[in-house]
Amino acid sequence: MPKPNIHPQWYPEAKVYCDGEVVMTVGSTKPELHVDIWSGNHPFFTGTQKILDAEGRVERFRRKYSGSTKAQQTPKGKKGPDKAAAKANPSKASKKR
């Protein structure tokens, strides 16, 4: 059994208003609900939604990054400092030996 006097009053026939007219009745803890959007005027449900993106996200990503893969890769098997850098500064290369 629920505790007495702690639960809000339940309105099984609460009216939902959108733009001043009743659009549906639901159960709620308030007798009237005022909403701006409901399924009867939302573009997704009415079929009037405009899709702004003509291309898919994956295709746009591939097109954007299709030429930049070589710049991000490092040569395989290359370890340690560059040989050209060792030739330019032989004193550091001799200290490592």
Side-chain angles (χ1 to χ4, degrees), residues 11-15 25-28 31:
Y11 298 95
E13 297 292 322
K15 299 200 180 336
T25 57
V26 295
S28 176

Side-chain angles (χ1 to χ4, degrees), residues 43-63:
F44 179 80
F45 296 105
T46 59
T48 59
Q49 182 177 15
K50 295 178 184 177
I51 298 176
L52 300 175
D53 187 11
E55 293 182 73
R57 291 182 179 187
V58 174
E59 289 82 14
R60 191 171 53 203
F61 175 83
R62 287 182 181 161
R63 186 188 57 189

Side-chain angles (χ1 to χ4, degrees), residues 5-12 14 27-31:
N5 301 326
I6 65 166
H7 296 284
Q9 183 178 355
W10 181 253
Y11 298 95
S28 176
T29 57
K30 296 185 178 187

Side-chain angles (χ1 to χ4, degrees), residues 89-97:
N89 196 353
S91 62
K92 287 186 179 180
S94 63
K95 288 182 182 178
K96 289 183 180 180
R97 293 182 190 171

